């Protein structure tokens, strides 16, 4: 490894982001890097090597290395280098297509690793403006309002968490908005490229508390408060206390206190027992 860290071909590629040929270096330069050249030739003798950069969004994503086997074979010609360049572009474009999201509908937005909006529909754009402010509609995580700080924490937890999906609930006056998070499944290298979609945010059709039919509400039967009923719906969806706290904009300690009160009112000792009891009582 200490020898391969001296790969001057890769160093030149990174510094210039241009195609790099072994045959383009002078004999004196190669002599001064004899340790690396000797080690490479010992592993697999080649007459020439071509490093072609792979780029994404203007950033170097990697390289395609092509070597001509045998010490006495011809060096690469300009036409061959053009073919390698076209091949690298073809592979690079194909890989980019697997990462980028397609056209978005009115309720959908695509965000990068920092939480910046790359694409958005008109409907969710209006909601972002209302929730986070007009100046933060393109960067909800960077706004100055409390809602932006909540969103930034929730987005970060979902982007790096175990679950690829999550919910964000925000109350604005008499309105309640529910945003559903879905992390893209792709090569982990996606995270390292700026302006590359990392996740999809969708404005849900209904509020969390509306997702359960009115007749299934447990508020009158067990004397649950509106907040306790919201937490019950989150428990039904399998959310942990941490996710419930981020979704409802309250602290984990407050969630624990509400869960304790729900257990006491419903006379249960676990979430499983709560779900089973309330599911049966709904029919």
């Amino acid at each position: 490894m200490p020898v391969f860290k001296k790969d001057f071909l890769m160093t030149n590629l990174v510094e210039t982001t241009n195609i790099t040929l072994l045959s383009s270096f002078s004999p004196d330069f190669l002599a001064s890097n004899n340790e690396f050249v000797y080690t490479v030739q010992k592993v697999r003798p080649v007459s020439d090597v071509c490093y072609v950069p792979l780029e994404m969004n203007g950033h170097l994503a990697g390289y395609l290395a092509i070597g001509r086997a045998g010490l006495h074979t011809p060096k690469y010609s300009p036409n061959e280098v053009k073919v390698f360049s076209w091949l690298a572009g073809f592979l690079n474009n194909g890989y980019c297509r697997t990462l980028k999201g397609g056209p978005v509908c009115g309720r959908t937005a695509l965000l990068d690793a920092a939480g910046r909006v790359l694409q958005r529909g008109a409907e969710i754009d209006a909601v972002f403006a209302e929730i986070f402010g007009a100046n933060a509609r393109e960067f909800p995580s960077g706004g100055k309002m409390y809602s932006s700080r909540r969103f930034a924490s929730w987005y970060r937890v979902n982007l790096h968490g175990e679950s690829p999906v999550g919910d964000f609930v925000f109350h604005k006056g008499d309105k309640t908005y529910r945003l559903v998070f879905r992390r893209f499944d792709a090569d982990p290298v996606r995270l390292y490229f700026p302006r590359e979609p990392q996740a999809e945010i969708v404005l849900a059709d209904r509020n969390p508390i509306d997702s359960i039919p009115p007749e299934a509400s447990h508020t009158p039967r067990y004397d649950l408060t509106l907040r306790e009923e919201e937490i019950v719906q989150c428990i039904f969806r399998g959310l942990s206390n941490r996710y419930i706290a981020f979704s409802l904009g309250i602290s984990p300690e407050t969630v624990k206190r509400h869960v304790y009160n729900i257990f006491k009112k419903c006379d249960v000792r676990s979430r499983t027992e709560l779900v089973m009891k309330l599911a049966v009582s709904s029919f």
Side-chain angles (χ1 to χ4, degrees), residues 36-133:
F36 173 76
V37 175
Y38 173 78
T39 304
V40 171
Q41 299 291 36
K42 185 178 179 181
V43 174
R44 179 167 295 179
V46 293
S47 64
D48 203 358
V49 179
C50 181
Y51 279 21
V52 185
L54 302 175
E55 296 186 28
M56 184 178 298
N57 298 331
H59 297 267
L60 183 65
Y63 64 91
L64 179 66
I66 305 173
R68 172 154 279 166
L71 290 174
H72 304 292
T73 54
K75 304 290 193 294
Y76 285 129
S77 68
N79 284 338
E80 287 174 322
V81 174
K82 288 181 180 179
V83 171
F84 297 155
S85 179
W86 177 87
L87 178 61
F90 177 79
L91 296 175
N92 195 61
N93 290 336
Y95 181 69
C96 288
R97 284 195 297 271
T98 67
L99 293 181
K100 290 184 178 298
V104 298
C105 67
R107 289 175 168 263
T108 304
L110 301 181
L111 279 67
D112 66 9
R116 291 184 177 85
V117 178
L118 302 177
Q119 299 182 51
R120 62 187 182 276
E123 193 169 352
I124 197 170
D125 179 54
V127 170
F128 277 180
E130 183 173 357
I131 295 177
F132 309 112

Side-chain angles (χ1 to χ4, degrees), residues 235-247:
I235 292 175
F236 262 83
R237 297 201 304 277
L239 301 182
S240 66
N241 284 355
R242 184 178 64 172
Y243 279 96
I244 294 174
F246 278 119
S247 297

Side-chain angles (χ1 to χ4, degrees), residues 243-264:
Y243 279 96
I244 294 174
F246 278 119
S247 297
L248 300 181
I250 56 181
S251 69
E253 290 72 22
T254 302
V255 174
K256 289 181 181 179
R257 187 172 67 252
H258 282 307
V259 171
Y260 172 81
N261 292 334
I262 292 169
F263 282 9
K264 189 174 181 180

Side-chain angles (χ1 to χ4, degrees), residues 200-251:
E200 176 184 69
I201 305 293
V202 179
L203 178 64
D205 291 330
R206 294 177 293 183
N207 300 330
I209 202 166
D210 295 332
S211 61
I212 304 296
E215 61 271 14
S217 174
H218 312 99
T219 301
R221 187 173 304 171
Y222 297 101
D223 194 29
L224 301 181
T225 66
L226 179 60
R227 177 63 82 188
E228 290 170 347
E229 183 71 37
E230 286 181 317
I231 291 176
V232 166
Q233 309 310 322
C234 291
I235 292 175
F236 262 83
R237 297 201 304 277
L239 301 182
S240 66
N241 284 355
R242 184 178 64 172
Y243 279 96
I244 294 174
F246 278 119
S247 297
L248 300 181
I250 56 181
S251 69

Side-chain angles (χ1 to χ4, degrees), residues 117-233:
V117 178
L118 302 177
Q119 299 182 51
R120 62 187 182 276
E123 193 169 352
I124 197 170
D125 179 54
V127 170
F128 277 180
E130 183 173 357
I131 295 177
F132 309 112
N135 294 331
R137 67 203 312 168
E138 296 184 358
F139 190 18
S141 301
K144 297 182 179 179
M145 297 172 64
Y146 172 67
S147 56
S148 288
R149 295 196 296 271
R150 272 189 58 202
F151 183 86
S153 299
W154 170 79
Y155 187 77
R156 184 168 57 252
V157 167
N158 280 275
L159 190 63
H160 301 285
E162 296 180 0
S163 176
V165 296
D167 292 64
F168 177 83
V169 178
F170 185 82
H171 302 280
K172 182 77 172 180
D174 60 346
K175 298 179 181 178
T176 300
Y177 298 107
R178 176 181 170 226
L179 304 177
V180 179
F181 171 97
R182 182 178 69 86
R183 186 174 65 232
F184 290 139
D185 293 325
D187 193 316
V189 75
R190 174 196 289 274
L191 283 171
Y192 295 96
F193 297 111
R195 311 300 293 172
E196 183 64 35
Q198 307 292 329
E200 176 184 69
I201 305 293
V202 179
L203 178 64
D205 291 330
R206 294 177 293 183
N207 300 330
I209 202 166
D210 295 332
S211 61
I212 304 296
E215 61 271 14
S217 174
H218 312 99
T219 301
R221 187 173 304 171
Y222 297 101
D223 194 29
L224 301 181
T225 66
L226 179 60
R227 177 63 82 188
E228 290 170 347
E229 183 71 37
E230 286 181 317
I231 291 176
V232 166
Q233 309 310 322

